[in-house]
Amino acid sequence: MKKFKKFYIEITSICNLACTFCPQTQRAKGFIEIDKFRNILDQIKPHTDHIYLHVKGEPLLHPKIDELLDISHEKGFKVNITTNGTLINKNRHKLLGKPALRQMNFSLHSFDGHEGSQDKEGYVMSILRFAKEIVAASGVIISYRLWNLDTDNQTNLERQRNREVLEMIEREYELDYKIDEKFIRGTGVKLADRVYLNQDHEFQWPDLKAEEIEGPGFCHALRNQAGILVDGTVIPCCLDGEGVIDLGNINDTPFSEIVEGERANRLFEGFSRREVVEELCRKCGYRERFSM
């Protein structure tokens, strides 16, 4: 039986922002229903203990996010949430005191990635203050993300934008150093107990319209991760935001059968041979990180 370190459950395909780095999904908009969420957890329980409540969409938009966290705890799962953080004040009471919640990732680059964003200081400070509150009250891990670097490190505009954010973080955590001085791409900077900052290149979603990357390849899809979109479509990894590699639907077929199905096994066995069998995978730059 396949076991996964990470399992992505998209609880909504709707987002309240339109960031330049995140193409809007062409799939139907919707929120996961409570009964269907329970069914998913029951089906994936033999395969994982850790779930991530996102693929596309903003998870804090789900009106019953607190109930989803309670159900996750009831079923024995630890939960990671990645959010743009804009709705943190409205959802504060739904997140505090939830034992299922293991980690929260805040995509701070969302502010500059969304045209028309206003009050940067108010946005960042609301996130920093919530993070300090929940860390003090629980064992939750916090990861602040600035994933907006270009291939030549940073442009002057990006440096300026990030410095504004970094200065707020440095003040709030009373750091006696500049974060830039400790930055090494691909590694996080520890700001406090269970609080980290991660900076990386701008994230690129794979696209069927992109050029293929030649040569052999490897990926951890269906090895250490899998996912389910809000409509029940099972996908091999969190990068298939449009459900291109549709392995089956959990509402029609048991998950354990889907991940042992013909298409799933062909993808898995292909990567075992360093052969990239799916078209989307051949156009995904992320797999280059695992080149051997």
Side-chain angles (χ1 to χ4, degrees):
M1 179 177 291
K2 290 187 174 75
K3 298 279 189 177
F4 305 106
K5 293 180 181 178
K6 301 178 180 179
F7 203 106
Y8 296 84
I9 303 175
E10 183 183 71
I11 60 174
T12 180
S13 54
I14 303 169
C15 190
N16 61 326
L17 299 184
C19 297
T20 55
F21 55 82
C22 187
Q24 297 293 296
T25 180
Q26 300 304 306
R27 295 181 284 112
K29 305 294 191 292
F31 295 95
I32 200 166
E33 298 172 8
I34 295 298
D35 288 345
K36 289 185 176 179
F37 185 72
R38 284 184 180 275
N39 177 50
I40 287 173
L41 295 190
D42 287 339
Q43 291 201 42
I44 69 173
K45 184 56 182 174
H47 300 272
T48 190
D49 295 317
H50 293 271
I51 57 176
Y52 294 65
L53 300 185
H54 67 279
V55 176
K56 287 290 188 74
E58 168 51 52
L60 297 191
L61 274 175
H62 199 292
K64 297 182 178 180
I65 182 68
D66 50 346
E67 192 170 343
L68 298 181
L69 287 169
D70 289 340
I71 295 169
S72 299
H73 178 60
E74 170 194 324
K75 301 287 186 181
F77 289 92
K78 288 299 183 181
V79 178
N80 287 34
I81 292 178
T82 296
T83 172
N84 58 44
T86 56
L87 304 173
I88 201 63
N89 287 338
K90 292 181 180 179
N91 287 278
R92 171 185 167 278
H93 63 290
K94 295 183 178 183
L95 300 169
L96 292 170
K98 296 300 183 184
L101 191 55
R102 173 188 173 272
Q103 179 168 328
M104 292 197 69
N105 307 313
F106 290 96
S107 300
L108 300 181
H109 49 282
S110 300
F111 184 91
D112 291 318
H114 176 73
E115 185 176 349
S117 293
Q118 296 180 343
D119 188 13
K120 190 171 192 173
E121 183 172 4
Y123 163 74
V124 174
M125 292 308 300
S126 66
I127 292 172
L128 299 186
R129 286 165 183 161
F130 168 81
K132 292 183 80 172
E133 180 181 13
I134 198 170
V135 166
S138 68
V140 170
I141 299 167
I142 297 294
S143 174
Y144 301 122
R145 293 176 173 178
L146 281 171
W147 288 2
N148 58 1
L149 308 184
D150 63 24
T151 52
D152 298 317
N153 196 359
Q154 290 176 281
T155 64
N156 289 332
L157 178 58
E158 286 167 334
R159 280 199 188 94
Q160 179 182 342
R161 287 174 169 175
N162 284 356
R163 182 95 293 274
E164 293 168 355
V165 175
L166 297 179
E167 284 176 358
M168 286 183 257
I169 292 174
E170 289 161 0
R171 287 198 305 270
E172 189 67 15
Y173 286 94
E174 299 180 346
L175 303 182
D176 59 1
Y177 59 86
K178 297 283 188 184
I179 292 173
D180 313 70
E181 297 169 359
K182 293 183 177 281
F183 167 67
I184 301 174
R185 182 178 173 259
T187 64
V189 175
K190 185 174 182 178
L191 306 175
D193 185 33
R194 290 179 281 118
V195 182
Y196 302 87
L197 171 73
N198 293 278
Q199 293 182 266
D200 211 327
H201 292 167
E202 181 175 309
F203 183 80
Q204 296 291 328
W205 290 88
D207 191 333
L208 286 176
K209 297 177 183 177
E211 293 185 9
E212 289 195 4
I213 301 169
E214 296 182 0
F218 177 79
C219 180
H220 292 287
L222 293 184
R223 273 183 162 74
N224 72 6
Q225 67 165 283
I228 298 176
L229 300 178
V230 71
D231 67 351
T233 299
V234 176
I235 54 176
C237 75
C238 64
L239 303 185
D240 187 3
E242 291 303 298
V244 173
I245 307 175
D246 181 347
L247 301 177
N249 194 294
I250 198 169
N251 298 316
D252 304 322
T253 307
F255 177 77
S256 294
E257 290 183 21
I258 292 174
V259 291
E260 295 297 346
E262 181 181 352
R263 189 172 189 180
N265 282 331
R266 191 168 63 244
L267 180 148
F268 183 94
E269 292 165 4
F271 280 131
S272 296
R273 303 187 301 269
R274 304 303 185 261
E275 179 183 341
V276 187
V277 300
E278 289 284 349
E279 181 183 2
L280 186 68
C281 300
R282 292 196 295 271
K283 298 180 177 182
C284 177
Y286 202 83
R287 67 177 172 81
E288 291 183 295
R289 300 188 182 200
F290 311 121
S291 297
M292 295 182 180

